């Protein structure tokens, strides 16, 4: 069957980039007890022109902080890939096909109306409507039936068993939005600690404390999100005091923040890869894919491009995944690459598509030089983000850089390697891999699922539909006046709850 594209796969790929290693904060912020009141300004890397979860803009890692302010998700990403309760108390299943959701007691939307089981059903139906064009519609389509058991309980029946179903509710499907009440900007009301206050097109979004929030009381009265797409300018805004926190995803800026004694909360939360198009020459020949794989010195990329920050990625199952089992990625071996190319017996050339971020350009240039050393000619095709997305969806590439946080969820991301997957951009076809992934997703035995995923991951690495480079950090840097910054080093996804932050600069 047609497998789904996991939530915000494209959005996070377009926005994610490399940073520093998963590190504990370099300072703990103010030593005083949490202080109520004041305004906290957070610099993020993209504009939020539509706060509604259906519009996809608040589903990327850097923008989950906005979602957590207004639409507290049912569940959030916790340490080592575990899920932590938000609006949801629990989501359980005996057979991975029928799931029971229990909501926290007494939670309300920001107008005081209750968050009920029916509100959850209405929200999922709204986002699942294909006409809405939500990236999560394909996920909602896996639900064959929803039933309200009581005001706090919903049952979901899936078309097929799916061990990864709970994680669907950490992003849009879990950002429960009212279908009966709107904020002044026309966005649906949420049940988070803050509610919409004002917006300046292309510049900022302001939220204020919700008097009807029933969870732990947020500390700051107001949170302002400033849209600052350029990473250097965003950091300078932090240094100058224009913002109190800033999203960071480049190694030099995180290193600078650490040296300046700022609070740094990052994790290896994005994976840098490149899709190879297995449907067109030269990569329709597995020997060419394997030769390129063998010719790239990933440790050198880590040292030079990532400044030694992060770790090499050894396949689709990350080192922090509960399914990690030691996938064997081939060592850097130029002689093996030359031998494979000799078997092919013809010159190899291709274009490598990437965007214009300095780090991406530096990586592409380094790879170009490595491949030239074994006799492969690689040209660099630099495009803007919109063109990159168009080429990716259309399969209009030979090789294309792909940086994403999607690999944080092994249960979901393994699905992009199934033959009919909507996220299988390079046209990789291995029915044996697809069968292993489907079996893993459908078994309730986690040890057996780990074994099946491990077998699939090794075959994927051997077949080389994707080049895996680094598990790369990203996160937030804060001024020392900000307290409540969490230690995120053991997270697979950066999901910062702004309600727990406070400021002494009032």
């Amino acid at each position: 069957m047609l497998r789904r594209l996991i939530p915000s796969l494209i959005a996070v790929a377009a926005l994610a980039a490399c940073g520093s290693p998963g590190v504990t904060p370099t300072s703990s912020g103010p030593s005083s007890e949490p202080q109520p009141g004041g305004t906290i300004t957070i610099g993020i890397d993209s504009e939020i022109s539509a706060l509604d979860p259906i519009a996809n803009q608040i589903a990327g890692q850097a923008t989950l902080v906005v979602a957590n302010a207004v639409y507290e998700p049912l569940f959030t990403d916790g340490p080592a890939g575990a899920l932590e309760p938000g609006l949801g108390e629990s989501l359980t299943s005996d057979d991975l096909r029928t799931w029971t959701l229990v909501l926290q007691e007494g939670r309300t939307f920001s107008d005081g109306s209750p968050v009920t089981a029916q509100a959850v059903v209405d929200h999922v139906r709204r986002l699942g409507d294909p006409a809405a064009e939500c990236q999560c519609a394909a996920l909602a389509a896996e639900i064959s039936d929803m039933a309200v058991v009581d005001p706090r309980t919903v049952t979901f029946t899936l078309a097929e068993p799916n061990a990864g179903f709970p994680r669907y509710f950490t992003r849009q499907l879990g950002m429960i939005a009212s279908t009966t009440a709107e904020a002044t900007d026309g966005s649906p009301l949420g049940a988070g600690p803050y509610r919409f206050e004002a917006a300046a097109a292309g510049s900022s979004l302001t939220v204020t404390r919700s008097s009807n929030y029933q969870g732990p009381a947020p500390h700051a009265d107001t949170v302002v999100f400033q849209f600052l797409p350029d990473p250097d300018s965003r950091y300078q805004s932090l240094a100058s005091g224009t913002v109190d926190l800033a999203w960071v995803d480049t190694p030099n800026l995180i290193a600078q923040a650490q040296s300046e004694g700022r609070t740094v909360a990052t994790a290896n939360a994005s994976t840098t890869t490149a899709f190879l198009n297995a449907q067109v020459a030269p990569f329709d020949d597995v020997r060419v894919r394997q030769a390129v794989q063998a010719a790239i010195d990933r440790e050198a990329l880590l040292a030079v491009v990532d400044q030694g920050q992060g770790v090499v990625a050894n396949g689709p199952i990350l080192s922090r995944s509960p399914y990690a089992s030691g996938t064997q990625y081939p060592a850097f071996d130029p002689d093996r690459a030359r031998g494979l190319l000799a078997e092919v017996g013809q010159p190899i050339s291709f274009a490598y598509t990437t965007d214009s971020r300095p780090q991406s350009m530096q990586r592409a240039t380094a790879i170009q030089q490595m491949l030239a050393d074994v006799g492969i000619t690689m040209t660099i095709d630099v495009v803007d983000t919109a063109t990159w997305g168009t080429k990716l969806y259309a399969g209009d590439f030979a090789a294309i850089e792909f940086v994403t946080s999607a690999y944080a969820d092994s249960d979901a991301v393994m699905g992009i390697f199934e033959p009919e997957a909507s996220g299988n951009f390079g046209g990789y076809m291995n029915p044996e891999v697809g069968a292993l992934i489907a079996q893993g997703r459908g078994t309730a035995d986690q040890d057996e699922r780990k074994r099946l995923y491990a077998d699939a991951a090794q075959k994927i690495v051997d077949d080389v539909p994707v080049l895996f480079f680094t598990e790369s950090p990203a996160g937030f840097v804060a001024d020392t006046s900000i307290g409540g910054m969490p230690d995120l080093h053991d997270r697979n996804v950066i999901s910062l709850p702004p309600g727990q932050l406070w400021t002494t600069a009032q």
Side-chain angles (χ1 to χ4, degrees):
M1 65 176 289
L2 178 66
R3 294 307 306 170
R4 71 272 184 245
L5 181 64
I6 70 172
S8 64
L9 180 64
I10 301 304
V12 296
L15 297 174
C18 298
S20 72
V23 293
T24 55
T26 54
S27 66
S28 58
S31 58
S32 61
E33 292 297 313
Q35 298 186 28
T39 296
I40 294 176
T41 302
I42 303 176
I44 56 177
D45 66 355
S46 57
E47 178 181 358
I48 305 297
S49 59
L51 196 55
D52 191 335
I54 212 167
N56 308 310
Q57 294 181 0
I58 56 175
Q61 275 202 110
T63 55
L64 282 176
V65 64
V66 183
N68 291 342
V70 179
Y71 303 102
E72 180 179 3
L74 289 172
F75 300 94
T76 58
D77 294 275
L83 293 186
E84 296 183 335
L87 287 178
E89 181 177 290
S90 62
L91 180 59
T92 57
S93 175
D94 292 329
D95 61 3
L96 304 184
R97 188 167 183 267
T98 300
W99 292 83
T100 300
L101 169 70
V102 178
L103 296 171
Q104 299 279 3
E105 188 170 3
R107 292 300 181 93
T108 67
F109 292 108
S110 58
D111 65 349
S113 60
V115 177
T116 63
Q118 187 62 55
V120 172
V121 170
D122 292 343
H123 167 78
V124 173
R125 283 178 177 156
R126 174 175 176 262
L127 269 62
D129 182 351
E133 298 184 346
C134 181
Q135 290 172 351
C136 59
L139 307 184
E142 295 185 24
I143 302 170
S144 59
D145 185 59
M146 294 183 285
V148 173
V149 178
D150 60 46
R152 292 178 54 210
T153 309
V154 182
T155 59
F156 300 94
T157 302
L158 307 184
E160 295 179 352
N162 185 354
F165 182 66
R167 195 167 294 277
Y168 290 6
F169 294 101
T170 64
R171 301 210 185 185
Q172 289 110 307
L173 289 184
M175 300 172 189
I176 307 303
S178 173
T179 58
T180 61
E182 296 181 343
T184 55
D185 69 331
S187 62
L189 295 184
Y194 295 92
R195 61 181 298 168
F196 173 83
E197 176 67 21
S203 177
S204 66
L205 170 72
T206 300
V207 298
T208 56
R209 185 201 303 257
S210 171
S211 60
N212 290 310
Y213 182 61
Q214 300 301 310
H219 300 305
D221 289 333
T222 304
V223 179
V224 179
F225 300 100
Q226 287 199 357
F227 313 142
L228 303 167
D230 180 75
D232 291 320
S233 297
R234 192 163 60 249
Y235 189 85
Q236 288 307 311
S237 294
L238 175 69
S240 67
T242 304
V243 302
D244 303 304
L245 289 84
W247 174 258
V248 288
D249 52 17
T250 53
N252 63 309
L253 294 179
I254 294 180
Q256 181 177 343
Q258 292 169 329
S259 69
E260 293 172 348
R262 303 187 190 280
T263 305
V264 178
T266 62
N268 288 339
S270 67
T271 306
T272 304
T273 70
F275 274 102
L276 302 181
N277 194 332
Q279 296 299 307
V280 299
F283 295 127
D284 56 349
D285 188 328
V286 67
R287 295 172 298 178
V288 178
R289 302 198 300 268
Q290 291 171 341
V292 169
Q293 181 188 60
I296 296 175
D297 186 345
R298 299 177 307 133
E299 293 287 355
L301 293 180
L302 177 66
V304 176
V305 180
D306 296 287
Q307 300 182 17
Q309 303 183 48
V311 297
V312 294
N314 288 322
I317 300 177
L318 300 189
S319 59
R320 302 175 314 285
S321 169
Y323 301 119
S325 56
T327 305
Q328 297 300 304
Y329 198 94
F332 169 54
D333 190 345
D335 288 337
R336 176 172 178 257
R338 294 185 188 99
L340 287 164
L341 294 171
E343 290 181 18
V344 174
Q346 61 186 32
I348 300 299
S349 63
F350 69 95
Y352 182 97
T353 301
T354 186
D355 62 26
S356 59
R357 287 174 299 181
Q359 194 167 0
S360 295
M361 290 291 295
Q362 187 180 16
R363 182 180 301 107
T365 300
I367 292 172
Q368 183 184 51
Q369 293 170 349
M370 293 172 186
L371 297 184
D373 185 54
V374 300
I376 297 174
T377 301
M378 183 186 110
T379 58
I380 301 174
D381 176 27
V382 182
V383 298
D384 58 42
T385 300
T387 302
W388 172 88
T390 299
K391 283 177 169 285
L392 183 74
Y393 269 117
D396 181 20
F397 62 86
I400 189 168
E401 184 175 88
F402 190 77
V403 185
T404 180
S405 66
Y407 286 96
D409 180 8
S410 298
D411 285 304
V413 80
M414 290 295 285
I416 72 172
F417 296 99
E418 294 178 274
E420 299 300 319
S422 56
N424 185 2
F425 301 112
Y428 171 57
M429 298 291 175
N430 186 329
E432 184 180 2
V433 168
L436 288 167
I437 293 169
Q439 290 173 42
R441 187 171 48 243
T443 179
D445 185 330
Q446 183 161 325
D447 289 338
E448 176 65 4
R449 190 182 316 130
K450 179 177 180 177
R451 184 189 68 78
L452 291 164
Y453 284 171
D455 288 349
Q458 189 62 61
K459 292 179 186 302
I460 290 165
V461 167
D462 294 343
D463 289 345
V464 206
V466 172
L467 299 169
F468 291 92
F469 300 136
T470 55
E471 298 176 18
S472 307
F476 287 92
V477 171
D479 184 82
T480 53
S481 65
I482 297 298
M485 284 290 286
D487 178 356
L488 299 174
H489 81 281
D490 56 359
R491 307 302 170 100
N492 291 340
V493 175
I494 303 295
S495 186
L496 180 68
Q500 72 182 37
L501 306 176
W502 74 88
T503 178
T504 58
Q506 298 182 32

